[in-house]
Amino acid sequence: MSFKKDLKLLVKPYYLINIFLSVSYIISKRFPIICNYIFAQDDCELDGRETEILFFLMIVIMIRTRKTGSVTMINYLTSSFVYTKAANLILWFYADVRMGILFAFIFILCGLVLPEPTYQGPENVIYLRGANGLQEELQRDTRVVWLVAFYTAWNPACVTFAPIFSELSAEYALENFKFGKVDIGRYPDAAAKYHISDASTSKQLPTLILFKDGKEAERRPYADNKGKLVKFLFSLDNVKAAFDLNNIYSDCKKHPIKRKERKSLKAE
């Protein structure tokens, strides 16, 4: 997603309200008029404990966003909202229990009525039912190349990657080059068959596997010779380069699947 697209998304209520909640305590403390009204004090400065909490928050956000592979402004904001709002909740309770309860109520209410906006663009993705569903599709016609994403609905990195995979499918999908998704949280048999961990601390989510001739040809992330997982950043350009999508698309387009013409049956 481009920077201009990110800016357009920022005007949506979900992002505006969450940004406000994320900086609510700092704004209340740094603006004398608001500070005097809420805290009834003349010295509107952050004390040592509040500064420590904010510095700790910055460190956590930097670590977590790197792990989730956040590469755009929207990705950084989305992955940091939980931590910033949690830090603000602690700060409000630290300052005033009543304000903490009010902030917690607003926090929960916004989570219920303002879900994160989902990808609304075009996609050409086939959702597969576990290992058996995938195997059936692979064996149905081995001439078809498949790029399959293994994911879970609750993993932040998978949520971040979802619109990227949809964009790729809309750009590259052909009759003989298909894009599929398998929810290994719902179908653990697929995770077991393709050796993908679905644990909360797993570094294999999401996993992309390219299938050619009905067999696995490439995957990301992958394990090196020592069995150590090689980290992969799931950006649009990285996926295109790692799986050589441009050449696969060109080759599939030059060699389309020729369907045999079916002769109509005569009525008896």
Side-chain angles (χ1 to χ4, degrees):
M1 296 178 68
S2 66
F3 183 70
K4 290 183 179 179
K5 290 182 179 179
D6 285 349
L7 290 178
K8 289 180 180 179
L9 285 175
L10 283 179
V11 301
K12 292 187 176 182
Y14 170 82
Y15 296 105
L16 291 176
I17 293 177
N18 276 281
I19 290 172
F20 173 75
L21 292 177
S22 299
V23 297
S24 61
Y25 190 82
I26 295 178
I27 291 175
S28 300
K29 268 285 189 174
R30 298 301 298 173
F31 284 84
I33 296 175
I34 302 175
C35 179
N36 294 335
Y37 179 77
I38 295 178
F39 301 102
Q41 60 184 34
D42 297 327
D43 185 18
C44 295
E45 297 288 341
L46 296 172
D47 62 24
R49 180 61 59 83
E50 292 169 336
T51 304
E52 289 175 3
I53 293 173
L54 290 174
F55 270 110
F56 179 73
L57 170 65
M58 292 175 60
I59 295 171
V60 170
I61 291 175
M62 291 175 62
I63 294 174
R64 295 304 300 175
T65 49
R66 284 179 62 86
K67 286 185 177 181
T68 56
S70 302
V71 292
T72 68
M73 178 177 63
I74 290 295
N75 295 152
Y76 274 112
L77 285 175
T78 303
S79 60
S80 65
F81 280 153
V82 174
Y83 308 107
T84 54
K85 289 187 292 185
N88 274 267
L89 181 63
I90 295 172
L91 289 169
W92 280 114
F93 267 108
Y94 173 73
D96 190 322
V97 174
R98 294 169 299 177
M99 297 301 297
I101 294 173
L102 177 61
F103 184 86
F105 174 77
I106 297 173
F107 187 161
I108 296 171
L109 183 63
C110 289
L112 294 174
V113 301
L114 281 177
E116 182 181 349
T118 56
Y119 176 75
Q120 301 296 325
E123 70 170 17
N124 199 342
V125 177
I126 299 172
Y127 290 84
L128 305 164
R129 296 184 176 180
N132 292 334
L134 174 56
Q135 192 62 30
E136 288 176 5
E137 292 294 339
L138 294 176
Q139 298 302 319
R140 191 187 306 277
D141 192 337
T142 56
R143 295 172 296 177
V144 177
V145 178
W146 281 86
L147 184 63
V148 182
F150 296 81
Y151 73 102
T152 62
W154 48 262
N155 184 273
C158 294
V159 174
T160 299
F161 179 62
I164 297 174
F165 192 72
S166 295
E167 288 183 34
L168 290 170
S169 71
E171 182 178 353
Y172 290 100
L174 297 167
E175 187 178 3
N176 54 346
F177 185 19
K178 297 183 178 181
F179 288 72
K181 293 185 77 172
V182 180
D183 185 349
I184 60 175
R186 186 176 180 185
Y187 301 104
D189 60 317
K193 181 173 182 178
Y194 294 101
H195 310 289
I196 302 170
S197 171
D198 61 350
S200 59
T201 57
S202 174
K203 296 181 180 179
Q204 291 181 281
L205 294 173
T207 288
L208 274 183
I209 300 181
L210 182 73
F211 294 92
K212 292 183 177 180
D213 300 319
K215 299 178 181 178
E216 179 179 333
E218 194 77 48
R219 79 158 62 192
R220 292 293 187 279
Y222 65 92
D224 60 18
N225 295 332
K226 297 180 180 180
K228 185 179 179 180
L229 203 66
V230 179
K231 188 177 179 180
F232 182 76
L233 186 61
F234 284 92
S235 67
L236 195 71
D237 292 335
N238 282 358
V239 174
K240 288 181 180 182
F243 293 94
D244 198 16
L245 296 188
N246 289 326
N247 285 331
I248 292 176
Y249 176 82
S250 178
D251 186 59
C252 289
K253 201 168 185 179
K254 289 179 182 178
H255 304 90
I257 296 175
K258 295 180 179 179
R259 303 271 182 196
K260 294 182 179 179
E261 296 182 0
R262 297 181 179 179
K263 296 180 179 180
S264 59
L265 296 174
K266 295 182 180 180
E268 296 181 357

